[in-house]
Amino acid sequence: MEKNIIRQFDPKTPITTNLMGSQKDLDYFKWAKELDIVSWDNYPSLDTPASYTAMQHDLMYGLKEQPFLLMEQTPNQQNWQTYNALKRPGEMRMLSYQALAHGANSVLFFQLKQSRNGAEKFHSAIMPYTGSTDNRIFREIAQLGNEVASLPTQLLQTKITAKIAIIFDWSSYWGLENCIGPTVKLDYVQNFYHYYDALYQLGIPVTIISIDADFSQYDYVIASNLYVIETAFSEQIKAYVQQGGHFITNFLSAVSDTADNFIIGGRPGYLQDLLGITIDESDALPPDKQVILTTTDHQILNAHTICDLIQPTTALTLAQYSGAIFYHGNAAITQNNFGYGFAYYIGTELSSTDIMTFLQQIGLSTANYNPDVEIMTRSDSTVDYHFVINTTDRSQTINNPYADQIDILSQQIIPRTYELPPFEVLIFRTSH
């Protein structure tokens, strides 16, 4: 309604609104269709992992699969979190470049000048309420502004490509967290993050997509806790796998239809033939309990929250429950050959580390990747821009994949072995 009113007087200025990452209340894939460009507010906490912030950026990029605007970030500390810690020297700069690396086409701040009163008077600003510019934060932002102004304008036209996609689905988010049972410990975003973080730790870039995206451009499609499912999606994902794709899903997926009615025929709903399994029962574990999984290649994993008792029909068992439980030996992780591709089902909640083990078991890994040094690439038809970001407050020795190339920011040639200072950023440009 607001957009239509504005368009009566201004037919061309791009329209946006401040989105808030993976917040629960609004389906941002629906909002994105009404926006000319996506923008969002990034406010990580003191203890927010770099991978979680990266995930939020990737979700905002994935809403339209186009560059977005970083509409807000704080120059230093917030005022409204539990512990409003100062940003360490270089941290604000690092977070700004991390946003650019994941598809932002702007670096904006809230706020320019600090309030003297009101609810946000303790919220930091580019200038404090005294108006002084003789301080650390102003100097850091001035440096960042000069650097961003010197970046090639071609960067604005680049995009991010990845061969692995993770589906984020607000209907499943709502359905999973609003159901009464089987456990109060259901957290859609946290379970989604486990899969994202596992790929991040392996150095594998990800695109976050909607349930109705085109899957054909991806080698792997992951759907964590896809609680709500439609027949249209089931047919689309089956066609994708049949043509050679790889699909991974997990517990409490394909449970209900869009009216939140259990799907007749039992779990996993419309995906039984694709996954080659049925599920008889699901055990709910208290927070202090876990169950051991043993994989076919003798790895030990830990099951949390839910344990689906999987009955394979055509699927192979990749891991089974072990230990002093009555379902010892029951299948926990399966793989089903479907056409030219494979479909995997993980019947329990796994940590990021254990998901990494599973992904490596099925052939996904990157050699010698340091997860504290994030590497992201933005590309157009001729050029790649590679961001190499130390996301920590510690120096990191890196094996530079772009050895003897010029760093755009420092204009220095960076060797193969390089000591990357805390929160430091390098940007390399290569042709392809």
Side-chain angles (χ1 to χ4, degrees):
M1 180 189 69
E2 291 176 348
K3 180 178 179 179
N4 291 340
I5 293 171
I6 291 169
R7 284 286 176 248
Q8 294 176 37
F9 304 95
D10 181 346
K12 61 183 181 180
T13 302
I15 290 177
T16 188
T17 191
N18 299 45
L19 304 184
M20 296 293 293
S22 59
Q23 67 84 46
K24 187 175 182 178
D25 300 317
L26 305 171
D27 184 338
Y28 282 161
F29 282 109
K30 292 179 180 177
W31 274 70
K33 294 175 183 178
E34 304 298 330
L35 303 178
D36 296 310
I37 188 168
V38 167
S39 66
W40 89 286
D41 302 347
N42 180 36
Y43 288 102
S45 302
L46 170 66
D47 57 352
T48 301
S51 57
Y52 193 87
T53 302
M55 179 188 78
Q56 300 288 339
H57 287 312
D58 284 350
L59 176 58
M60 296 296 96
Y61 182 92
L63 296 180
K64 293 179 83 72
E65 295 190 53
Q66 294 176 4
F68 59 91
L69 300 182
L70 178 58
M71 182 65 80
E72 285 189 23
Q73 60 175 334
T74 180
N76 196 1
Q77 63 196 142
Q78 285 92 215
N79 74 293
W80 43 266
Q81 295 183 348
T82 307
Y83 304 102
N84 297 293
L86 294 174
K87 284 186 166 64
R88 290 152 289 184
E91 186 175 8
M92 174 277 300
R93 177 177 179 267
M94 179 277 291
L95 288 167
S96 299
Y97 279 114
Q98 186 188 36
L100 293 182
H102 286 267
N105 273 359
S106 69
V107 176
L108 303 175
F109 292 91
F110 178 81
Q111 51 193 332
L112 174 62
K113 188 174 180 181
Q114 187 179 11
S115 305
R116 289 183 58 205
N117 53 38
E120 293 184 302
K121 64 178 179 289
F122 280 103
H123 196 292
S124 67
I126 295 174
M127 294 187 296
Y129 62 86
T130 62
S132 171
T133 59
D134 185 19
N135 58 73
R136 174 177 71 92
I137 293 304
F138 189 90
R139 287 190 292 271
E140 287 191 21
I141 291 180
Q143 175 196 345
L144 176 66
N146 289 330
E147 289 177 353
V148 169
S150 71
L151 292 176
T153 56
Q154 182 185 26
L155 183 60
L156 295 170
Q157 308 306 319
T158 58
K159 292 193 173 185
I160 296 169
T161 58
K163 300 308 291 182
I164 297 181
I166 310 181
I167 294 171
F168 195 100
D169 181 55
W170 263 272
S171 292
S172 292
Y173 189 174
W174 300 331
L176 184 83
E177 294 195 3
N178 290 342
C179 64
I180 302 172
T183 171
V184 296
K185 191 175 173 284
L186 294 175
D187 188 325
Y188 179 85
V189 174
Q190 193 61 34
N191 288 331
F192 181 97
Y193 171 63
H194 289 160
Y195 286 85
Y196 182 94
D197 186 51
L199 291 160
Y200 182 96
Q201 301 299 324
L202 291 170
I204 300 174
V206 167
T207 297
I208 297 177
I209 60 173
S210 70
I211 197 168
D212 55 1
D214 176 12
F215 305 143
S216 63
Q217 59 191 299
Y218 304 106
D219 294 339
Y220 286 79
V221 172
I222 301 172
S224 174
N225 294 151
L226 192 62
Y227 180 84
V228 173
I229 192 170
E230 298 183 55
T231 54
F233 168 80
S234 66
E235 294 307 314
Q236 185 182 4
I237 200 68
K238 287 175 188 178
Y240 162 78
V241 176
Q242 195 145 30
Q243 293 163 14
H246 299 77
F247 176 61
I248 301 170
T249 191
N250 64 345
F251 70 101
L252 289 177
S253 290
V255 172
S256 293
D257 62 20
T258 54
D260 202 10
N261 296 313
F262 276 169
I263 296 169
I264 298 299
R267 289 187 286 144
Y270 306 131
L271 302 182
Q272 288 187 28
D273 56 339
L274 172 63
L275 296 167
I277 62 171
T278 60
I279 298 168
D280 285 346
E281 301 176 274
S282 296
D283 196 12
L285 304 179
D288 59 348
K289 184 178 179 181
Q290 58 189 28
V291 173
I292 299 298
L293 302 186
T294 305
T295 70
T296 52
D297 59 352
H298 311 295
Q299 301 281 343
I300 302 299
L301 311 178
N302 294 303
H304 305 269
T305 309
I306 293 290
C307 292
D308 285 337
L309 307 190
I310 301 170
Q311 306 304 315
T313 51
T314 58
L316 300 175
T317 297
L318 298 185
Q320 59 187 18
Y321 299 110
S322 301
I325 47 172
F326 73 88
Y327 43 92
H328 172 95
N330 202 105
I333 302 176
T334 58
Q335 170 190 295
N336 192 47
N337 183 208
F338 192 84
Y340 293 102
F342 293 93
Y344 301 89
Y345 187 83
I346 301 173
T348 188
E349 182 179 338
L350 298 179
S351 68
S352 300
T353 301
D354 284 350
I355 293 170
M356 283 174 59
T357 300
F358 161 75
L359 294 175
Q360 290 169 321
Q361 183 184 7
I362 64 173
L364 282 172
S365 63
T366 303
N368 302 319
Y369 185 78
N370 179 356
D372 290 330
V373 179
E374 185 177 304
I375 299 176
M376 281 292 293
T377 299
R378 292 181 59 163
S379 305
D380 66 11
S381 59
T382 60
V383 174
D384 297 323
Y385 290 91
H386 310 282
F387 292 74
V388 180
I389 304 172
N390 182 355
T391 61
T392 74
D393 60 356
R394 305 176 304 279
S395 293
Q396 302 284 340
T397 301
I398 64 169
N399 183 21
N400 179 18
Y402 311 104
D404 302 322
Q405 299 285 330
I406 296 175
D407 167 36
I408 291 175
L409 297 175
S410 68
Q411 291 297 301
Q412 300 296 312
I413 294 175
I414 308 299
R416 171 74 62 187
T417 302
Y418 184 72
E419 190 78 12
L420 199 59
F423 297 126
E424 188 55 277
V425 177
L426 308 172
I427 305 177
F428 301 100
R429 176 172 48 199
T430 61
S431 300
H432 61 84

